[in-house]
């Protein structure tokens, strides 16, 4: 009898090397409530339903009790219409033409490389991944 194939998780690569993903021509949208109330789960659910309806792909999310920010791709040019709807319920701030950098296994040198000669608009760090939204100077 022949030996079968085994599929398993391979060994972790060491040392970890920073891995960069760059998404250009993004749109950073920040929403906050008009009446200074909290951004609750039902608000977020409604917001995501609208993003789906208007075909905006979300690439980064940052949420707090009073604000909700996303970095999206507006491949189909639907943001203007979406903004009209969102503005009825939320204060909407947005920045067009931003770049989203995602660095897996980041280090300070990798972050500095991304941030150099750019304006950092948003930065988010988790255990092994850093995301930075920039605007060219």
């Amino acid at each position: 009898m022949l030996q079968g194939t085994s599929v398993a998780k391979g060994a972790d690569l060491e040392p970890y090397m920073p891995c960069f993903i760059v998404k250009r021509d993004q749109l950073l949208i920040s929403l906050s409530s008009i009446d200074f109330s909290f951004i609750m789960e039902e608000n977020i659910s409604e917001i995501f339903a609208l993003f789906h309806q208007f075909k905006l792909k979300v690439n980064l999310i940052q949420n707090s009790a009073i604000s909700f920010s996303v970095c999206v791709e507006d491949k189909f040019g639907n943001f203007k219409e979406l903004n009209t709807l969102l503005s009825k319920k939320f204060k909407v701030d947005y920045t067009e033409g931003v770049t989203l950098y995602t660095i897996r296994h980041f280090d300070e040198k990798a972050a500095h490389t991304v941030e150099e000669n750019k304006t950092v608009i948003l930065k988010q760090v988790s255990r092994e991944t850093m995301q930075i939204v920039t605007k060219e100077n």
Side-chain angles (χ1 to χ4, degrees):
M1 178 178 259
L2 298 174
Q3 183 178 359
T5 301
S6 175
V7 178
K9 181 182 182 298
D12 288 338
L13 296 176
E14 289 196 27
Y16 289 123
M17 297 295 295
C19 175
F20 296 82
I21 300 167
V22 180
K23 292 185 179 270
R24 299 188 193 289
D25 200 25
Q26 301 286 293
L27 177 63
L28 180 65
I29 306 168
S30 297
L31 306 174
S32 55
S33 64
I34 294 171
D35 61 2
F36 301 105
S37 62
F38 292 131
I39 302 282
M40 303 298 286
E41 289 81 4
E42 56 270 9
N43 301 120
I44 294 170
S45 178
E46 179 183 359
I47 292 164
F48 273 105
L50 288 168
F51 286 156
H52 176 73
Q53 178 184 339
F54 286 90
K55 298 179 173 63
L56 274 79
K57 182 181 176 209
V58 177
N59 293 312
L60 173 142
I61 302 166
Q62 188 174 76
N63 188 42
S64 74
I66 58 171
S67 69
F68 181 78
S69 296
V70 289
C71 194
V72 300
E73 285 179 33
D74 183 19
K75 221 187 282 192
F76 302 100
N78 294 330
F79 175 67
K80 186 175 180 180
E81 189 178 351
L82 171 62
N83 188 23
T84 301
L85 285 177
L86 289 172
S87 296
K88 291 177 182 177
K89 286 187 123 176
F90 303 98
K91 178 180 181 280
V92 180
D93 292 308
Y94 64 92
T95 306
E96 298 175 297
V98 300
T99 301
L100 170 62
Y101 295 88
T102 301
I103 311 169
R104 182 82 169 139
H105 307 302
F106 67 92
D107 57 23
E108 289 308 312
K109 181 179 177 191
H112 179 71
T113 299
V114 166
E115 295 171 353
E116 193 171 24
N117 299 320
K118 297 175 192 80
T119 300
V120 175
I121 302 172
L122 186 148
K123 188 178 200 177
Q124 186 168 276
V125 179
S126 62
R127 288 182 182 98
E128 295 186 22
T129 304
M130 177 182 287
Q131 290 187 289
I132 305 170
V133 178
T134 67
K135 187 79 174 167
E136 297 296 323
N137 288 336

